[in-house]
Amino acid sequence: MILVTGGAGFIGANFVLDWLASNRGPVVNLDKLTYAGNLENLAALKDDPRHIFVRGDIGDAALIEKLLQQYQPRAIVNFAAESHVDRSIHGPEDFVQTNVLGTFHLLEAVRAYWSGLAEEQRAAFRFLHVSTDEVYGSLGPNDAAFTETTPYAPNSPYSASKAASDHLVRAYHHTYGLPVLTTNCSNNYGSYQFPEKLIPLIILNALNGKPLPIYGDGLNVRDWLYVGDHCSAIRAVLEQGRVGETYNIGGCNEMANIDVVKTVCALLDELKPATQPYAALIIYVKDRAGHDRRYAIDARKIESELKWRPSETFETGIRKTVQWYLENQSWVAHVVSGEYQGWLAKNYGGGRT
Ligand code: NAD
Ligand code: TYD
């Protein structure tokens, strides 16, 4: 048994689906079901007794204590977070609440549970904290990629709150001996990603004939990784990672935003041709405040220690992703109703340049 938090979100749901598909044992899935959490992501597990879904907050220590006592998990994988940079700019408080205080309360409950385990179970227990490359800040064009020893320099309320959570996790190992692992991954894309993030936003806007908003000059660089490869990396770290260590995970695939958007447009031109090329919908809009210029991951540690490598290239992964959104229109229709419309108005309403 493992306990996954945030397993109704984009990466967490992919992780839970992959975990159960490969028969690694049952999962308790704790998720608050914020706007980003969606039980439809887990619809395939509706009648699967190996998946126990609990709606709740990682900040609810009493609930966590109860779940830990009831299910006695051998590991926790902590995905739960507020995850979108633009939302953190509009409203940072939720980020501090969940990413910092939530992680703190979760750690406290886990520490109490772990302290009471028998010697052998204590040694085998793992707390894996899923984090981001954004904690390292922004790179210049010729800077070396982030390694595990790059100093933290978070620039957005999102990355600052994730950095704080990483530090708490580190401190619980150093001070209390909690057997923790931390992963810092680059930008993910794939199925079930909420369409506030660049790639699904572009796919859905294009299909609806709406403008494709590029922040600033479109030359900000991200290192894109297919979500299934992130999940395989987390499994590798959970199973073989050295306790107390952090592992950077990346796709070795740096791309400027404008090139990502043009690639998506070209795929849509091929798979769902419209009367004009989709790239005609591209517009440049006001830049994001404090927009980090470039992220790049040096993944040599996980590659050499744990023999992990991505199995998808950007070409294969983005094709699968675009196809998934084309084939899952009812998922899309449910996701984009309600709160999502309010978000679009708030973030893009008056922002064109
Ligand atoms: P997401 O926003 O799609 O999902 C987050 C999930 O956490 C949702 O299901 C939400 O309901 C849940 N949640 C939020 N607050 C909660 C709380 N207080 N208690 C319990 N559940 C709560 O995010 P994602 O993109 O799947 O990211 C998952 C994790 O991976 C995050 O920790 C994020 O920082 C990290 N990460 C994401 C990326 C990326 O590109 N998306 C890259 C690197 C790391
Ligand atoms: P995003 O998917 O929000 O991830 P992150 O900010 O965590 O990297 O954004 C990826 C890049 O795309 C980032 O440089 C901001 C940019 N972007 C746009 O140009 N337009 C958009 O509408 C969005 C959402 C993002």
Side-chain angles (χ1 to χ4, degrees), residues 260-272 278-279 319:
V260 170
V261 172
K262 285 184 175 165
T263 304
V264 169
C265 288
L267 271 169
L268 285 170
D269 287 339
E270 176 197 325
L271 298 169
K272 186 116 174 110
Y278 287 100
R319 179 174 285 276

Side-chain angles (χ1 to χ4, degrees), residues 74-76 107 110-111 114-115 117 119-129 169 172-174 176-182 238 241-245:
R74 66 176 171 90
I76 318 277
L107 281 165
V110 170
R111 178 166 77 91
W114 170 78
S115 306
L117 292 176
E119 189 64 38
E120 205 179 318
Q121 290 161 317
R122 271 165 64 96
F125 184 82
R126 296 287 181 271
F127 181 96
L128 191 151
H129 180 61
V169 170
Y172 272 63
H173 174 65
H174 188 81
Y176 305 112
L178 190 71
V180 306
L181 299 153
T182 297
L238 189 60
R242 284 183 294 132
V243 165
E245 293 288 317

Side-chain angles (χ1 to χ4, degrees), residues 42-71:
L42 303 161
L45 305 175
K46 202 164 79 59
D47 299 315
D48 192 329
R50 300 170 305 164
H51 178 241
I52 299 150
F53 183 80
V54 179
R55 184 174 192 177
D57 193 319
I58 56 166
D60 183 347
L63 171 66
I64 309 281
E65 276 164 31
K66 189 178 133 246
L67 293 176
L68 294 173
Q69 288 309 329
Q70 187 174 353
Y71 295 107

Side-chain angles (χ1 to χ4, degrees), residues 83-86 132-134 158 187-188 193 195-202 205 212-216 218 220-222 224 257 261 285 287-288 291-293 295 343 347-348:
S83 69
H84 188 37
V85 173
D86 292 321
T132 165
D133 60 355
E134 304 192 22
Y158 163 65
N187 285 64
N188 283 213
Q193 187 167 32
E196 63 189 354
K197 306 277 167 62
L198 179 68
I199 288 178
L201 181 104
I202 294 300
N205 277 18
L212 310 181
I214 309 277
Y215 296 164
N220 299 68
V221 170
R222 300 291 183 261
W224 294 94
N257 293 337
V261 172
V285 301
D287 207 356
R288 170 187 283 172
H291 196 174
D292 282 342
R293 192 63 173 169
Y295 303 140
W343 166 250
N347 197 46
Y348 300 96

Side-chain angles (χ1 to χ4, degrees), residues 6 8-12 30-38 56-59 78-83 98 130-132 158 162 185-188 193 196-197 230:
F10 162 48
I11 306 171
L30 174 74
D31 195 296
K32 187 176 173 182
L33 296 181
T34 67
Y35 77 91
N38 182 356
D57 193 319
I58 56 166
N78 184 31
F79 292 97
E82 291 293 336
S83 69
T98 283
V130 179
S131 192
T132 165
Y158 163 65
K162 290 296 290 186
C185 188
S186 61
N187 285 64
N188 283 213
Q193 187 167 32
E196 63 189 354
K197 306 277 167 62
H230 187 187

